Amino acid sequence: MPDEVLRDAPTYTPRPSELADLELLLSEAYRPLTGFLGLADLTSLRRNGRLADGTAWPVPVSLEVPLAVLGHLDVADPGKRVLILADLEGAPIAALDTVEVYPTREGFGGAAGRVKRLGDGSHGAFRRMRRTPAEVRGTLPQGRILGVIADRPLHRPQLAQIARAARTLAAHLLVLVPVGSPGPDGLAPEALVRCVLAARDRMPDCTIVALPLPHRGGDDIRAAMLRTRVAAAYGVTHLLASSDSMLSGGGLRVLVPRELAYDGRDGQWRSLDDIPPKHRRLPLTFGEIEDHLDRGTILPEWHTPPAVARELTRARPPRRQRGLVVFFTGLSGSGKSTMATGVADALQESGERTVTLLDGDIVRRHLSAGLTFSAADRDTNIKRIGWVAAEVGRHGGVAICCPIAPYHEARAAAREFARNAGAGFVLVHVSTPLEECERRDRKGLYAKARAGLIKGMTGIDDPYEAPTDAELAIDTTDLTYGEAVTTVLRYLGNNGWLDLR
Ligand code: PPS
């Protein structure tokens, strides 16, 4: 591609899941795909699971770009259709030769075409482990390759299954760790890698590779098929499925391991049926593991190697010490700020936690200065608050937020930020009804809105989407200030987020 074409090309940063797809396209883990799919392929794929030319392919690999960016391209002119794709920091990683643009939804369009890597492509934590299929295949020994996709930490039952399968097949072990996004149990990718590395000396001689497999919601079978294809690209000949996953072939054999249990007589993991019930201990469920971590009780050694338990505890400290976002939402005058302040004061007094209070009015004076009450600006406001709160949570602090946050989507984004930062998220709906808020009308805003002096007042002529996912709903109509605050503190105490002594 000539330099001046690249120099003049517009730059765009795709969404994280698209970036993960991009990285797999560039590394050739998605071969035979060489770029983002166009409409003919996507339509055919939806219809029969095949690309337009008949090649079987499990999932749509597409890119959506704002029309404002696409407007700079001319697909008919090879000199004017290059789009630079940049990472989250804005550094260019690939050039897309856009041969097709198609409609998707308002304000956006799909962009299809081959992608070509720019720069050396090394970035991110654990970059030395992010190797391409060709690099990995070049280092693997001849013979069978047993693949394991470790999207959760490996505990003794999985380690025993792996050891058995490797022994039976006389295969070399290749562990693929998906690092595209937080895993199914919300563990940060780096933490997952550390957990897997911590189990390394419990595994046969192995190769460990990190790869940005995005977690796709929805269709489990197709997502599993994609994983199988990627594993095959890395040279896997036999893929060990986790006992609860659905996998199907793609040029390799899929092994569904036997369910193992711990035999209390000799401390070995063996087939469930070979152990008398009174000596048998089943593997902990994800919920039970989560519960140990939440409470801060040590994962039992019969189940989890201590080194793995240590990494897991570092990544998911007990709730008493884990970062937390308490997010109050409700109408103006519902009592959010008062409750938030009361909760913040109580936490400060206890000295157990560091607290950051992100009060609606104060945020709008600093973090969100200049924003209006338009729908777009309210979204920006809530996302800013959610982002800052999540960062507080990432470092183990408690962030208490109390904006109106009238829209579900922005609240969901705030929850997602917290989850990605490894912090807890408690949504408190201050559900005091409009009539009561209007009766209080401390700031006189409702009166002004009714008189038509201010427009877009939440509850009057701008919607409040009541949450359906709140951990707690509190109507302050008949509660004293103290009662309302106590309700929240009690919830936090009962759920292990603070020690209410
Ligand atoms: S939002 O929707 O979450 O971005 O709003 P927020 O940042 O919490 O700001 C709400 C405070 O702004 C004052 N105010 C308005 N609220 C709602 N609608 C309109 N049009 C409006 N104009 C100004 C109001 O005092 C809110 O404060 P609280 O503390 O909620 O009463």
Side-chain angles (χ1 to χ4, degrees):
M1 228 168 262
D3 281 352
E4 59 276 14
V5 170
L6 290 178
R7 189 196 58 212
D8 297 340
T11 299
Y12 172 66
T13 296
R15 287 189 288 259
S17 63
E18 294 166 331
L19 278 174
D21 278 338
L22 175 62
E23 204 176 316
L24 293 166
L25 284 168
L26 294 172
S27 77
E28 296 182 16
Y30 274 177
R31 62 179 187 175
L33 263 48
T34 54
F36 288 104
L37 300 176
L39 207 48
D41 283 328
L42 293 171
T43 312
S44 160
L45 211 153
R46 208 168 306 124
R47 203 170 298 141
N48 59 14
R50 291 179 181 276
L51 303 177
D53 68 3
T55 311
W57 184 261
V59 295
V61 176
S62 57
L63 174 69
E64 199 177 52
V65 179
L67 291 182
V69 177
L70 291 177
H72 294 286
L73 304 179
D74 178 0
V75 293
D77 180 350
K80 291 201 183 118
R81 64 185 192 200
V82 173
L83 176 60
I84 308 282
L85 301 177
D87 65 12
L88 295 171
E89 282 80 46
I93 39 181
L96 168 68
D97 184 25
T98 318
V99 293
E100 183 190 342
V101 167
Y102 54 90
T104 54
R105 62 187 163 122
E106 204 185 319
F108 289 85
R114 266 175 187 270
V115 289
K116 198 171 153 284
R117 195 187 284 287
L118 301 173
D120 69 357
S122 61
H123 61 94
F126 289 115
R127 77 193 63 179
R128 65 190 176 282
M129 291 175 58
R130 290 175 172 238
R131 293 147 67 204
T132 66
E135 282 165 3
V136 172
R137 284 196 312 269
T139 65
L140 292 175
Q142 291 289 318
R144 293 169 176 160
I145 304 297
L146 172 67
V148 171
I149 297 178
D151 60 359
R152 289 189 153 107
L154 301 170
H155 300 267
R156 289 194 202 274
Q158 292 86 37
L159 291 165
Q161 286 171 336
I162 293 170
R164 277 185 159 214
R167 204 177 331 114
T168 314
L169 293 168
H172 178 78
L173 176 63
L174 174 61
V175 182
L176 302 171
V177 190
V179 293
S181 54
D185 39 11
L187 210 57
E190 299 76 31
L192 177 61
V193 173
R194 280 199 306 274
C195 288
V196 172
L197 289 175
R200 184 166 208 158
D201 61 358
R202 311 267 167 180
M203 288 190 272
D205 188 29
C206 67
T207 307
I208 304 181
V209 175
L211 76 170
L213 258 184
H215 286 281
R216 291 169 191 275
D219 195 336
D220 280 353
I221 295 179
R222 289 188 170 223
M225 280 164 68
L226 179 71
R227 292 169 160 229
T228 315
R229 291 200 73 119
V230 170
Y234 273 93
V236 168
T237 59
H238 295 69
L239 184 63
L240 191 69
S242 61
S243 20
D244 64 341
S245 80
M246 290 183 280
L247 278 174
S248 66
L252 48 67
R253 298 268 305 274
V254 175
L255 314 172
V256 178
R258 286 249 199 99
E259 215 180 318
L260 303 185
Y262 178 80
D263 190 336
R265 293 171 302 183
D266 61 357
Q268 296 295 311
W269 287 82
R270 54 173 59 93
S271 291
L272 208 62
D273 313 329
D274 297 344
I275 313 172
K278 67 171 182 187
H279 294 294
R280 176 196 299 167
R281 279 195 226 167
L282 295 182
L284 301 181
T285 63
F286 296 120
E288 286 166 340
I289 294 172
E290 197 69 11
D291 208 49
H292 270 293
L293 297 170
D294 287 352
R295 290 170 196 273
T297 50
I298 297 168
L299 283 162
E301 209 173 323
W302 64 268
H303 185 272
T304 305
V308 176
R310 226 170 6 252
E311 281 307 335
L312 257 174
T313 310
R314 272 174 61 190
R316 314 241 342 127
R319 281 187 169 181
R320 285 192 319 283
Q321 292 157 22
R322 196 180 301 166
L324 175 65
V325 176
V326 186
F327 197 105
F328 291 87
T329 169
L331 294 169
S332 172
S334 58
K336 320 179 277 317
S337 295
T338 323
M339 279 167 72
T341 311
V343 170
D345 289 346
L347 290 179
Q348 314 256 40
E349 282 169 21
S350 80
E352 237 193 284
R353 294 290 210 142
T354 57
V355 180
T356 297
L357 180 62
L358 293 161
D359 182 77
D361 282 338
I362 295 170
V363 166
R364 279 191 171 265
R365 231 172 294 137
H366 300 286
L367 186 63
S368 290
L371 293 185
T372 68
F373 288 89
S374 70
D377 277 7
R378 288 185 199 249
D379 277 346
T380 305
N381 181 38
I382 299 312
K383 283 179 188 163
R384 283 185 192 168
I385 293 172
W387 189 80
V388 172
E391 288 305 310
V392 169
R394 187 190 299 282
H395 299 285
V398 178
I400 299 183
C401 324
C402 51
I404 295 179
Y407 310 138
H408 174 74
E409 198 184 309
R411 292 189 302 255
R415 189 186 282 276
E416 190 63 16
F417 283 142
R419 178 183 140 87
N420 290 347
F425 188 88
V426 173
L427 185 66
V428 183
H429 178 202
V430 186
S431 58
T432 316
L434 178 65
E435 304 75 66
E436 174 65 14
C437 300
E438 209 172 343
R439 193 188 60 73
R440 296 177 185 171
D441 205 8
R442 296 225 175 80
K443 299 178 184 164
L445 286 172
Y446 287 107
K448 282 195 181 133
R450 291 286 184 199
L453 297 175
I454 54 173
K455 293 262 171 273
M457 177 71 192
T458 304
I460 306 296
D461 54 351
D462 205 70
Y464 179 81
E465 302 170 2
T468 51
D469 60 342
E471 274 70 19
L472 203 56
I474 303 174
D475 176 347
T476 64
T477 310
D478 299 315
L479 288 184
T480 65
Y481 162 77
E483 287 165 342
V485 171
T486 305
T487 309
V488 179
L489 292 175
R490 204 180 304 125
Y491 174 89
L492 296 178
N494 289 342
N495 286 277
W497 293 107
L498 37 116
D499 193 359
L500 283 181
R501 266 173 311 192

